[in-house]
Amino acid sequence: MSLAASCPRCTSPVTGEGASFACTVHGVTEPLWRPEQADYDSFADLVGRSNDLPTYLPWPMSPGWSIADFGCVGNAGRVRATVTTTVGTSDLDGEVQVTIVSEEPGIGLGARCAGTTYDDPGSQIGHGPPAIRVRAGGRTVPLWLVDDRLDGPHADSDGPSGDDDLLARAVFAGEADGRWLWLVMRPASAALLLHDEWLLADVTGFGPEALEMPFGGPRPAW
């Protein structure tokens, strides 16, 4: 099998097989299926598992960018989350990493990729005007900036570590078709690459263009 099981919420190992898996930290869980190395065959495996859950990529991809990682969460024919990470460079930011998660509430994969406290984006979503809008699945999706220092258990804390974290990544989230849509940019300054109607394409609907997808690059640390 080209995809291996792991925990969607953390890097701890899982045990089990078939429809029953458990994480050593989070207990019984639906596993994250993720390849050891991103390639076309394992990506085809992912798409085959994804059912009607979208798997988003920035598309068309800029020259020199590649798909470094991907995965899906679920079991027994039901997928509840998908994730992709693309990597490339920009003149201003150097190496850039873009992670996109589409998930049902409570899964926790988006929070793991974003490095935030709670499984879901939190109460900031929908408050005030959105930070950006993207085009996903043929519709415009508003996304809000997620900063869980605003409502997390350490909301009043500050200092160098918090400042470094803000510089390390920018996290945006919103709702698309009843699911959370997360967009995580590393470093945070790479968010300047975003613009209204930035296009996210669902690769489960790709035809011949799937053969044009480039794979490679450093695997993300999430």
Side-chain angles (χ1 to χ4, degrees):
M1 183 180 297
S2 59
L3 301 179
S6 58
C7 179
R9 290 185 172 89
C10 70
T11 58
S12 300
V14 296
T15 58
E17 60 183 13
S20 178
F21 285 87
C23 168
T24 55
V25 173
H26 293 99
V28 176
T29 186
E30 292 180 279
L32 166 65
W33 297 96
R34 187 181 181 192
E36 290 293 331
Q37 181 176 348
D39 59 25
Y40 183 85
D41 289 340
S42 55
F43 199 83
D45 189 350
L46 168 74
V47 172
R49 293 170 180 261
S50 296
N51 303 320
D52 61 346
L53 192 69
T55 302
Y56 290 119
L57 282 175
W59 196 265
M61 293 176 65
S62 299
W65 283 65
S66 60
I67 304 167
D69 203 0
F70 46 83
C72 64
V73 176
N75 229 333
R78 184 188 179 194
V79 170
R80 303 184 63 193
T82 60
V83 58
T84 64
T85 295
T86 53
V87 295
T89 60
S90 76
D91 293 338
L92 293 177
D93 306 296
E95 294 184 359
V96 175
Q97 185 183 105
V98 179
T99 296
I100 304 168
V101 176
S102 175
E103 66 178 357
E104 296 179 3
I107 299 300
L109 178 60
R112 171 183 170 182
C113 295
T116 56
T117 304
Y118 303 114
D119 285 347
D120 293 327
S123 59
Q124 300 163 71
I125 306 305
H127 288 188
I132 59 170
R133 299 176 188 271
V134 298
R135 190 78 177 168
R139 60 181 285 237
T140 299
V141 179
L143 300 178
W144 284 262
L145 186 65
V146 177
D147 179 2
D148 70 347
R149 296 186 315 161
L150 297 178
D151 56 5
H154 305 293
D156 294 329
S157 66
D158 54 19
S161 60
D163 293 340
D164 290 345
D165 194 46
L166 283 178
L167 295 174
R169 89 284 193 263
V171 180
F172 304 90
E175 179 272 326
D177 296 325
R179 306 179 184 96
W180 291 122
L181 178 65
W182 298 75
L183 180 60
V184 184
M185 309 284 294
R186 289 186 168 88
S189 57
L192 296 176
L193 297 173
L194 299 173
H195 50 80
D196 279 351
E197 303 302 309
W198 205 58
L199 181 62
L200 306 181
D202 178 8
V203 297
T204 60
F206 275 15
E209 60 266 48
L211 298 175
E212 302 174 9
M213 296 188 303
F215 295 91
R219 194 182 195 201
W222 50 260

